[in-house]
């Protein structure tokens, strides 16, 4: 059972305390949704977990080894990061973009070996973008692009996926598709070692409720509440944190919430 | 077109190498003297043909290849690092800053003290420019900020060069302004090759080793870092590599413009826009372009009064205008 | 500011109004010279008491043949304004001094003589004689010309003995001299063939290093036209390693600017220097 654990993380930038003694643990086999109002510190927490930002205090450990002792390359093989907005600066072919996911494995090699090509093909199939392989990534629709970037992540064969608002600009069809792919990565059921973990920042409470095993609610740099979606996404909690009222839905054993109305205070 | 692209995909490098080799030998055969090649090869030091070939023509063409390669490579690296097709060492002021460093080293006697002074002056100038660029425009600079910063640096450096030449003790100094602003490979010797090529070679190694990082940067700096690259260290490696390439090149040949801008641009579609593949292609392409320009210069003015930069500007200027028209959206 | 024509006009008018008399005398007693070549000729022909100022170039040994003689004489920097307070009765200007200004001075009653630059030795003889008349030193001028003639005759006599070999002049920026330039005449008079002339060049022209090497001249004349301080690209032409190969089979002589800047007796010195290399 693998874990990515953050203990007592604090981050202060320009005298503004972004995170205050936050502890988070991501285990294999689970998909965690990180929610909270704008400016709560979600992206900051994700970046700390992804080894992109060094916290002022506290430590992060992968399988109980401190991140400071793991080389960036080794860490890249275990954890993959999907950044917000996910830019692609050059109009590369889709298969070349996905091949970028193999960079942590290349070392000084310039050519892809059979193993790399295998991983790329598997990734293309998993993300259902194999038919787009020769297209230029800049000519794709938003949803197709996001799946290609996910394929890039799959190509790295990571254990843990850290995603920052992966579905922000997508239409409903693609939103569901991407969330399904992420959940599959976490729940894919072979044996304990290859089951992954996903931590994703989401704004959409509905998607968070339906697809995540656990929810962490962050506000003003602190964890307000965490646990099962049903336990966290309650009216009083959401009213306090977001200032909204919600309607909850229970349908065929699936739980969901719909933001309903703004309240005052 | 896609069929051509597919061929180009695999055969581009061999093609470029073949063109470069052919052009190199052609360039060596140009000149007012008709050489007896056998004599030149058998008696390099004693026959006149030998002296002309080894000491006059060969250094000049070797420098054309190395300077062209350095400028092309530096341009591709800068464009990859800044994720911007309009970045080029001359546009961003790196070349003119290098020229200032070289001018200070040459005209105020430092180069007479040690041969190291000239290339190191150029390299120091180039480093200063890149650091200034990053300071002024920040790491996530918009196109406009970068170009404005480049314009500012260029203006300041050109004035300083004029000032330095004005105060130089040498009576010819001020009239050599054109050399520094436009560049020339006339009258080069093997000494010049020895003085500059080692630095350029180190620059090539540094830049070529950053290819995969530039590929990763396609997805943004954060993703690149998450793919296992230490962005800060690699950024410095690219900065130093660019400084070595541009600094040594400008110190030995003046500010030859547009190669770092035009060559990567022309070759980018042929390497599938992949930044890593663009590096080596741009190096070869830059060498080819500069060799061509040098051949044209020698045809047009055997004595060498025409500056090389005039030809590259005649090619690069209109090209740059065309680029602006095509990239109008990018500049918004 | 001093070069502003309006300022000069005002300055001159004020000076004129101050009422100094400038009578024309038969032999000028207060001569001022505004360029290097007239400086040197003046110093050769006229005793110091009659000279009020010369340019700063005249006193520099690197560029002036008469540097020793110029020591202690007041310096003008070639500026008319510096000369006027010295109340000269003859101002000697070169071809390139501002003609408008000179005309103004003439109208104000100053005696201004512009002398054209001689382009070859016959012109130089005529020029020296004319100059001698201007400054009231005809006898001295005739002596100088006679001396030049004598030395040249000696040189010519020696020339006829041997067949001339090829010489090439090389200056910063890779320049050489062709027909019409003084240095070409110097080289030919000294008993050498001039590469630039044989390549049909006129005046100062660029010579490619390849052409120079191919020609394999027996004499390389380095025409150092000005002092070389600090480095420069122009001077790097003179230190190209390939020239060392040339130097193995040829004599290399540096022609100092003092001998080549102006035409006159110093030109004969230059000819003697090159003739001695044969």
């Amino acid at each position: 059972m693998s874990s990515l654990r953050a203990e007592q993380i604090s981050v202060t930038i320009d005298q503004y305390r972004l995170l205050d003694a936050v502890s988070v643990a991501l285990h294999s086999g689970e998909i965690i949704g990180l929610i909270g109002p704008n400016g709560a510190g979600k992206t900051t927490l994700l970046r700390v977990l992804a080894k992109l930002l060094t916290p002022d205090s506290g430590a992060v450990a992968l399988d109980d080894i401190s991140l400071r002792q793991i080389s960036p390359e080794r860490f890249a093989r275990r954890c993959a990061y999907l950044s917000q907005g996910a830019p692609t600066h050059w109009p590369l072919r889709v298969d070349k973009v996905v091949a970028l996911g193999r960079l942590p494995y290349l070392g000084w090699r310039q050519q892809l070996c059979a193993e790399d090509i295998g991983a790329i093909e598997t990734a293309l199939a998993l993300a259902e973008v194999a038919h787009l392989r020769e297209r230029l990534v800049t000519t794709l629709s938003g949803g197709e692009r996001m799946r290609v970037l996910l394929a890039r992540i799959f190509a790295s064969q990571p254990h843990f996926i850290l995603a920052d608002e992966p579905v922000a600009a997508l239409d409903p069809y693609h939103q569901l598709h991407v969330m399904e792919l992420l959940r599959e990565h976490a729940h894919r059921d072979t044996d304990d070692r290859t089951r992954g973990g996903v931590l994703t920042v989401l704004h959409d409470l509905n998607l968070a409720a339906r697809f995540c095993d656990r929810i962490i609610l962050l506000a003003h740099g602190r964890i307000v509440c965490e646990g099962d979606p049903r336990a966290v996404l309650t009216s009083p909690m959401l009213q306090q944190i977001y200032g909204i009222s919600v309607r909850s839905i229970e349908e065929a054993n699936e739980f969901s919430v719909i933001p309903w109305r703004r309240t005052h205070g | 077109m896609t069929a051509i692209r597919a061929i180009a995909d695999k055969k581009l490098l061999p093609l470029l190498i073949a063109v470069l080799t052919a052009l190199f030998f052609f360039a060596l055969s140009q000149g007012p003297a008709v050489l007896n090649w056998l004599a030149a090869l058998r008696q390099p030091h004693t026959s006149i043909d030998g002296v002309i070939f080894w000491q006059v023509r060969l250094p000049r063409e070797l420098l054309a290849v190395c300077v062209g390669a350095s400028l092309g490579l530096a341009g591709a690296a800068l464009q990859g690092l800044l994720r911007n097709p309009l970045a080029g060492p001359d546009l961003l002021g790196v070349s003119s800053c290098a020229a200032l460093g070289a001018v200070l080293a040459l005209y105020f006697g430092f180069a007479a003290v040690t041969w190291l002074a000239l290339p190191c002056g150029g390299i120091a100038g180039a480093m200063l420019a890149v650091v200034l660029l990053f300071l002024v425009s920040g790491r996530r600079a918009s196109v406009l900020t970068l170009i404005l910063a480049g314009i500012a640096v260029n203006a300041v450096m050109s004035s300083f060069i004029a000032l330095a030449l004005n105060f130089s003790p040498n009576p010819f100094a001020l009239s050599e302004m054109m050399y520094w602003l436009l560049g020339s490979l006339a009258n080069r010797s093997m000494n010049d090759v020895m003085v500059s090529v080692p630095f350029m070679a180190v620059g090539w190694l540094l830049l070529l080793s950053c290819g995969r990082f530039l590929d990763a940067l396609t997805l943004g700096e954060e993703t690149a870092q998450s793919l296992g690259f230490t962005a800060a260290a690699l950024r410095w490696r690219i900065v130093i590599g660019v400084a070595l390439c541009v600094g040594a090149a400008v110190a030995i040949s003046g500010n030859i413009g547009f190669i770092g801008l035009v060559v990567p641009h022309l070759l980018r579609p042929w390497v599938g826009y992949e930044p890593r593949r663009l590096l080596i292609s741009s190096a070869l392409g830059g060498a080819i372009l500069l060799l061509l320009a040098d051949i044209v210069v020698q045809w047009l003015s055997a004595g060498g009064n025409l500056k090389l930069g005039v030809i590259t500007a005649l090619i690069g200027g209109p090209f740059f205008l065309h680029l602006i028209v095509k990239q109008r959206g990018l500049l918004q | 500011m001093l070069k502003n024509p309006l300022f000069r006009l005002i300055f001159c008018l004020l000076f004129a109004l101050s009422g100094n008399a400038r009578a024309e005398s038969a032999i000028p007693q207060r001569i001022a010279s505004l360029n290097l070549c007239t400086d040197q000729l003046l110093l050769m022909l006229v005793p110091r008491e009659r000279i009020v100022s010369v340019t700063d170039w005249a006193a520099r040994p690197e560029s002036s043949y008469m540097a020793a003689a110029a020591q202690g004489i007041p310096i003008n920097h070639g500026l008319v304004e510096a000369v006027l307070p010295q109340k000269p009765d003859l101002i000697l200007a070169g071809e390139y001094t501002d003609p408008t200004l000179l005309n103004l001075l003439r109208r104000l009653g100053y005696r201004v003589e512009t002398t054209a630059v001689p382009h070859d030795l016959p012109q130089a003889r005529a020029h020296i004689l004319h100059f001698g008349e201007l400054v009231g030193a005809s006898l001295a001028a005739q002596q100088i010309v006679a001396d030049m003639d004598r030395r040249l005759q000696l040189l010519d006599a020696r020339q006829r003995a041997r067949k001339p070999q090829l010489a090439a002049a090389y200056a910063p920026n890779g320049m050489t001299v062709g027909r019409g330039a003084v240095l070409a005449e110097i080289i030919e008079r000294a008993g050498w063939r001039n590469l630039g002339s044989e390549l049909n060049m006129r005046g100062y022209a660029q010579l490619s290093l390849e052409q120079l090497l191919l020609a394999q001249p027996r004499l390389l004349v380095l025409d150092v036209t000005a002092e070389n301080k600090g480095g420069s690209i122009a001077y790097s032409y003179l230190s190209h390693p390939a020239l060392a190969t040339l130097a193995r089979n040829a004599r290399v002589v540096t022609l100092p600017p003092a001998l080549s800047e102006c035409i006159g007796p110093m030109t004969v010195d230059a000819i003697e220097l090159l003739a001695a290399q044969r």
Side-chain angles (χ1 to χ4, degrees), chain B residues 176-184 188 252-254 307, chain C residues 233:
Chain B
E176 291 176 0
M177 182 82 172
M178 277 299 111
Y179 168 85
W180 290 104
L181 291 185
L182 288 174
S184 166
R188 296 290 130 195
I252 214 66
S253 68
K307 299 280 175 269
Chain C
I233 309 293

Side-chain angles (χ1 to χ4, degrees), chain B residues 17-300:
Chain B
I17 294 176
V19 171
L20 180 61
T21 318
L23 215 52
F24 184 65
F25 285 109
F26 180 66
L28 283 174
S29 71
Q30 298 300 299
V34 178
L35 288 188
N36 177 344
W37 296 95
L38 232 58
L41 289 171
R42 286 223 199 97
Q43 296 150 334
H45 300 295
T46 42
S47 70
I48 275 299
D49 304 274
V51 171
I52 292 181
F53 178 74
W54 293 99
Q55 296 197 35
V56 180
R57 288 196 193 171
L58 188 63
R60 180 175 179 146
E61 305 311 333
L62 272 181
L63 272 178
V65 169
C66 294
V67 167
S70 301
L71 292 176
L73 182 59
L78 271 179
Q79 290 175 15
L81 179 65
L82 299 170
R83 270 100 73 204
N84 199 308
L86 288 176
D90 43 330
L91 221 66
L92 297 182
V94 181
S95 297
S96 55
C97 217
L100 178 63
V103 160
L104 290 174
L106 178 64
Y107 291 91
F108 293 93
F110 300 109
V113 171
T114 161
W115 64 268
L116 276 173
L118 187 60
C120 289
I123 292 168
M127 280 254 18
L128 176 66
V130 192
V131 169
L132 254 176
L133 261 178
F134 273 115
L135 281 179
V136 166
S137 52
R139 295 215 321 251
R140 293 175 200 197
S142 73
V143 183
L144 201 55
T145 319
L146 263 179
I147 292 180
L148 288 176
I151 292 176
V153 172
N154 264 322
V156 170
M157 290 309 142
S158 299
S159 323
F160 275 134
I161 291 174
L163 203 63
L165 291 175
N166 212 320
F167 281 114
S168 133
N170 191 292
F172 286 95
L174 206 46
S175 64
E176 291 176 0
M177 182 82 172
M178 277 299 111
Y179 168 85
W180 290 104
L181 291 185
L182 288 174
S184 166
L185 283 174
N187 204 56
R188 296 290 130 195
S189 68
M190 268 311 189
N191 288 345
D192 298 316
V193 175
M194 303 296 190
V195 156
S196 58
V197 173
F199 291 98
M200 290 193 241
V202 174
W204 299 341
L205 286 174
L206 286 176
L207 290 180
L208 288 172
S209 73
C210 290
R212 293 171 309 119
F213 174 55
L214 292 178
D215 271 350
L217 275 179
T218 312
L219 299 175
E221 215 172 271
E222 285 194 329
T223 313
Q225 201 142 334
S226 77
L227 281 167
F229 295 98
T230 325
L234 282 162
R235 220 180 295 124
W236 271 112
R237 205 195 291 181
I238 295 180
V239 164
I240 294 176
V242 167
L244 283 169
C245 281
V246 176
V250 171
I252 214 66
S253 68
N255 183 354
I256 301 176
F258 288 104
I259 294 193
L261 180 68
V262 168
V263 172
H265 232 97
L266 283 175
L267 292 174
R268 199 171 279 119
W270 300 90
V271 293
Y273 291 86
E274 292 176 61
R276 181 182 60 83
R277 288 178 62 200
L278 190 60
L279 288 179
I280 184 85
S281 313
S282 297
L284 293 170
I288 290 174
L289 188 58
L290 199 57
L291 263 180
L292 262 174
D294 197 44
I295 291 173
V296 171
V297 160
Q298 291 196 66
W299 280 346
L300 288 180

Side-chain angles (χ1 to χ4, degrees), chain C residues 251-275:
Chain C
R251 308 192 68 170
V252 180
V253 74
T254 307
L255 195 65
L259 296 183
S260 59
E261 278 277 354
C262 304
I263 304 193
M266 64 287 277
T267 313
V268 185
D269 279 29
I271 299 176
E272 286 172 346
L273 175 63
L274 293 188

Side-chain angles (χ1 to χ4, degrees), chain C residues 102-120:
Chain C
L102 298 179
N103 281 331
L104 174 64
L105 289 173
R106 288 193 186 102
R107 266 186 268 128
L108 289 173
Y110 286 92
R111 185 176 167 205
V112 177
E113 299 290 349
T114 329
T115 47
V117 174
H119 293 297
D120 55 34

Side-chain angles (χ1 to χ4, degrees), chain A:
Chain A
M1 174 82 117
S2 274
S3 67
L4 181 61
R5 222 182 282 269
E7 307 266 354
Q8 300 291 311
I9 301 294
S10 293
V11 175
T12 311
I13 293 183
D14 288 340
Q15 293 171 335
Y16 188 65
R17 205 164 183 79
L18 292 171
L19 290 176
D20 193 4
V22 168
S23 298
V24 158
L26 171 64
H27 303 282
S28 301
E30 64 176 355
I31 166 167
I32 301 181
L34 185 57
I35 65 172
N38 288 334
K42 309 187 292 294
T43 301
T44 313
L45 178 57
L46 204 69
R47 294 178 69 213
V48 169
L49 284 170
K51 207 169 156 18
L52 294 175
L53 183 60
T54 319
D56 299 321
S57 64
V60 186
L62 175 65
D63 294 339
D64 298 319
I65 306 173
S66 162
L67 244 48
R68 261 175 281 221
Q69 292 169 332
I70 306 180
S71 73
E73 224 171 51
R74 272 185 57 214
F75 186 73
R77 295 184 202 179
R78 301 292 309 283
C79 299
Y81 175 72
L82 187 58
S83 70
Q84 193 176 67
T88 39
H89 290 284
W90 304 107
L92 260 55
R93 273 169 48 140
V94 164
D95 52 359
K96 301 290 185 191
V97 173
V98 176
L100 289 176
R102 299 303 295 171
L103 280 172
Y105 297 88
L106 283 184
W108 283 106
R109 281 188 287 125
Q110 302 283 13
Q111 303 289 27
L112 300 170
C113 67
E115 200 185 312
D116 296 322
I117 298 179
I120 294 170
E121 290 301 321
T122 316
L124 285 169
L126 267 176
E128 297 175 41
V129 289
H131 61 291
L132 297 171
R133 72 170 69 224
E134 292 193 3
R135 294 271 302 275
L136 297 182
V137 74
T138 43
T139 61
L140 301 176
S141 73
E144 290 169 328
R145 227 184 99 238
M146 191 46 78
R147 294 209 319 272
V148 167
L149 293 173
L150 258 185
R152 191 275 299 169
I153 295 226
F154 292 148
S156 327
Q157 296 170 322
H159 219 106
F160 297 115
I161 296 181
L162 304 166
D164 197 347
E165 294 192 50
V167 296
L170 304 183
D171 65 42
Y173 178 89
H174 290 104
Q175 282 188 338
L176 292 172
H177 198 163
V178 168
M179 290 310 297
E180 281 166 19
L181 288 173
L182 286 175
R183 183 173 56 188
E184 244 179 75
H185 177 84
H187 292 173
R188 197 169 309 123
D189 212 14
T190 35
D191 63 85
D192 187 80
R193 300 201 74 186
T194 57
R195 235 184 327 166
V198 174
L199 190 135
T200 171
V201 172
L202 285 170
H203 268 312
D204 191 324
L205 298 179
N206 173 23
L207 290 175
R210 289 195 49 214
F211 286 92
C212 299
D213 302 320
R214 254 200 312 146
I215 306 273
I216 299 179
L217 178 53
L218 205 64
H220 301 302
R222 289 202 191 90
I223 295 186
V224 173
C225 189
E226 70 176 290
D228 191 89
R230 288 176 182 77
V232 174
L233 298 171
T234 59
S235 265
M237 183 63 67
L238 294 173
Q239 184 153 330
Q240 179 195 338
I241 299 299
Y242 281 100
I244 55 169
S245 65
V246 295
R247 292 275 182 279
S248 48
I249 299 176
E250 191 76 48
E251 170 105 8
N253 248 347
E254 287 195 60
F255 172 68
S256 181
V257 291
I258 304 171
W260 204 244
R261 206 164 264 130
R262 293 180 299 134
T263 61
H264 297 285

